[in-house]
Amino acid sequence: MLEEIKALDKEYYMNTFGERLPVTFTHGEGMKLYADNGDVYYDFLGGIAVNALGHSHPKFCEALKNQVDKLLHTSSLYYIENQAKLAEKLVRSSCADKAFFCNSGAEANEGAFKLAKIYFYKKGIDKYEIISLDHSFHGRTLATVAATGQPHYQAPYKPLTPGFSQIKPNDFEAVKDAVTDKTAAIMVELIQGESGVHPMDIEYARNLRQFCTDNGILLIVDEVQTGMGRTGKLFAHELYGIEPDIFTCAKALGNGVPIGAVCAKAEVAKAFEPGDHGTTFGGNPLSTAAGLAVFSAIEEENLLENADEMGKIFRKKLNGLKSEFPDEILDVRGEGLLIGIELKPEIAKSVFNGLHNRKMLTSLCKGLTIRVAPPLNITENEIDLFIKAFKATLKEDI
Ligand SMILES: *Cc1c(COP(=O)(O)O)cnc(C)c1O
C-alpha cells in the first residue's frame, strides 16, 4: 500500500514535503501508531504537538461521533452552542476575556495581527508595526511568514507583508532599540518550538511584559504549540507569570480536528465589532465539540499534572543519558512535555534515523535538536521505552 500511496503523492501532490519518511499509518491507539505493513510506532511527536490525548481516545472519539451524527456546520450566521461553550471554557481557564475561533495556528496569528492593528485604528492611533523574534515560527501565510524570524521561509515570498520586523531574543536592549512610535505589538513564543525548543528567559519575558504595558504596546503570545497543557500548565504564559494582551492557540485544541483560537483581554477584544473579522468554518459545531472534549479530558484525567510530572521524569532520564553520553547529547531543554534534545551536529541525523528505525517518532529541528511532544497522557513505561531506544541508538548507530 505504501508504494501505491507514494506513487499517487509523487504524481498529484504538490512537492512541498519532498521525500517524506517512508511510512503510512492506518490507525492508532494511545501512543501507538500502526503502519500499513504491521509495524507499530510510538508517537513521541504527537502529530507535532497536536494529539494531546493520543490516538483513538475513547471519550474524545465518542464526543466527535455524536456530533457528526447531529450537526457538522451551520455557518456563523447563527448561534452555535459548542462555540459559545468552548469560548467560555477558554476564557474561564485563562487570563483572556474573549475568544474567537478559526482553523489553524497561522490563521489564529493572522487574527491576532488584525486585532492588534484594529485596536489602535479604532483609537485613532497610528500604530501598525509588529515586532517578533529571530528563530520564531508563526505560520505559513503571508503575514505570519513576515513575522517568522527565519530567512529561508521568507526569501521566496519577498516583498514581504510590510510592517513586520524581528529582533534577537532574550536581549532587552534590542527591544528598546527596535520599538518605534509605530509599534503596535510584540509577538513571541515563550518556548520557540519549531526552531528546536528554546525557552525564553523568564526575566526577559517579564521585562517585556512590563515594557509593553509602560509603552502602550500589545504583547501577543503565540501559544499555538505551547498551549493546551503542553508545558504542564494550560498555557505557557502561566509558567512565566505574565498575562499577554492577546494569545493564540491551535494545535492541541482540537486533538487533530483543525481549530485555532485568538484569545484577548476585554479592552483589546472589543476593537472587533460586527463585520471587522469573520470566518466560514471557524468554530463550527464539529471543531468546537473537539475542543470541548479536549478540555473535558484534560480536567477528568488530570492531564496538566501528568504533563508536568511526566515531563520532569522524562527530562531527568534524558539528563541521565546526557551524563552518560556527554559528547553526544549537548543539551536537554523544555517544559512539561515539550522537550528538545540537542545533539552533536555530526550525529543528529543518525540519531533521528536510529530512533525512527526503533519505531520512535520524533522530529529533528534545524538538523540539530530532537523534539518530542508526546500525548499528555503518556506513562513512565512509555518514557522508558524511548530512553531505551535512545540509548541503543547512541551505542549502536553512531
Ligand atoms: C505550528 C505553529 C504555527 C502554525 O500553525 P498552523 O496550524 O500550521 O498554521 C504557528 N505558531 C507556532 C508557535 C507553531 O508551533
Side-chain angles (χ1 to χ4, degrees):
M1 196 170 86
L2 175 63
E3 288 313 313
E4 265 168 62
I5 297 168
K6 254 179 103 166
L8 285 175
D9 180 90
K10 286 241 168 326
E11 183 77 16
Y12 298 111
Y13 202 78
M14 292 193 195
N15 191 29
T16 64
F17 301 110
E19 267 312 305
R20 309 189 201 205
L21 289 158
V23 57
T24 187
F25 298 109
T26 54
H27 59 291
E29 196 187 352
M31 288 268 305
K32 288 182 181 161
L33 275 173
Y34 296 84
D36 66 325
N37 63 359
D39 283 350
V40 185
Y41 286 76
Y42 283 86
D43 192 358
F44 276 85
L45 188 56
I48 317 186
V50 167
N51 300 111
L53 310 183
H55 301 280
S56 303
H57 184 279
K59 277 196 168 171
F60 178 79
C61 292
E62 193 190 310
L64 274 195
K65 284 180 201 157
N66 285 339
Q67 190 59 49
V68 165
D69 287 340
K70 280 201 298 191
L71 189 64
L72 290 179
H73 181 85
T74 57
S75 94
S76 295
L77 296 173
Y78 317 105
Y79 290 99
I80 298 171
E81 182 183 2
N82 294 342
Q83 185 182 91
K85 287 185 167 165
L86 184 59
E88 179 195 22
K89 272 277 168 216
L90 270 171
V91 164
R92 287 190 184 237
S93 43
S94 78
C95 63
D97 301 305
K98 299 272 185 183
F100 179 88
F101 297 115
C102 54
N103 309 288
S104 69
E107 200 188 344
N109 288 339
E110 291 270 346
F113 300 149
K114 285 177 77 177
L115 182 57
K117 290 176 94 161
I118 202 170
Y119 170 75
F120 289 108
Y121 174 82
K122 294 230 163 136
K123 284 179 176 288
I125 298 173
D126 191 28
K127 286 187 172 196
Y128 49 82
E129 289 177 352
I130 291 163
I131 297 173
S132 56
L133 301 179
D134 290 342
H135 319 298
S136 58
F137 184 81
H138 297 298
R140 301 290 209 145
T141 60
L142 284 170
T144 56
V145 159
T148 289
Q150 301 189 50
H152 65 284
Y153 287 133
Q154 298 184 330
Y157 303 109
K158 287 187 174 171
L160 299 175
T161 307
F164 289 87
S165 62
Q166 282 84 52
I167 54 173
K168 200 172 149 224
N170 294 322
D171 177 353
F172 192 56
E173 289 307 310
V175 179
K176 293 191 206 157
D177 291 345
V179 161
T180 72
D181 61 353
K182 299 286 180 257
T183 305
I186 299 177
M187 176 184 259
V188 300
E189 293 159 272
L190 291 171
I191 302 175
Q192 292 186 329
E194 196 263 357
S195 63
V197 190
H198 295 280
M200 181 180 279
D201 295 346
I202 194 152
E203 200 186 315
Y204 173 81
R206 289 181 177 172
N207 284 340
L208 196 59
R209 170 65 281 179
Q210 191 58 45
F211 180 83
C212 286
T213 305
D214 294 346
N215 292 278
I217 295 166
L218 299 177
L219 179 64
I220 307 174
V221 175
D222 178 344
E223 296 255 15
V224 169
Q225 186 156 165
T226 51
M228 298 308 291
R230 174 61 41 206
T231 66
K233 297 279 185 199
L234 192 59
F235 294 105
H237 61 258
E238 298 167 42
L239 281 177
Y240 281 79
I242 61 169
E243 295 194 353
D245 302 292
I246 305 173
F247 68 90
T248 55
C249 121
K251 291 194 162 91
L253 181 57
N255 192 46
V257 179
I259 180 169
V262 187
C263 304
K265 295 282 194 190
E267 159 72 8
V268 179
K270 73 174 202 275
F272 271 159
E273 291 174 289
D276 288 334
H277 192 45
T279 168
T280 296
F281 295 125
N284 81 7
L286 183 70
S287 64
T288 44
L292 285 170
V294 168
F295 263 102
S296 298
I298 287 178
E299 286 162 15
E300 286 166 19
E301 298 165 30
N302 297 319
L303 294 184
L304 299 182
E305 294 78 359
N306 196 64
D308 179 51
E309 191 188 339
M310 290 302 136
K312 286 187 175 125
I313 292 172
F314 207 157
R315 272 172 284 135
K316 190 166 166 221
K317 295 189 183 206
L318 287 168
N319 275 313
L321 273 189
K322 181 171 171 275
S323 326
E324 216 176 313
F325 299 90
D327 297 331
E328 286 78 15
I329 300 180
L330 305 185
D331 197 15
V332 175
R333 298 185 289 266
E335 294 287 345
L337 289 168
L338 181 57
I339 302 175
I341 309 146
E342 187 173 325
L343 298 160
K344 188 164 95 177
E346 299 85 328
I347 64 161
K349 186 77 190 163
S350 356
V351 172
F352 171 78
N353 288 335
L355 286 169
H356 186 82
N357 295 336
R358 288 177 178 79
K359 309 290 182 267
M360 297 290 156
L361 301 177
T362 65
S363 80
L364 183 61
C365 303
K366 302 264 163 295
L368 203 65
T369 302
I370 301 280
R371 171 178 47 170
V372 297
L376 305 183
N377 49 18
I378 190 173
T379 63
E380 189 167 352
N381 269 343
E382 290 161 334
I383 291 171
D384 287 338
L385 292 175
F386 184 90
I387 298 292
K388 202 172 143 205
F390 209 106
K391 196 166 172 169
T393 299
L394 290 174
K395 278 195 166 158
E396 294 160 23
D397 290 7
I398 53 161

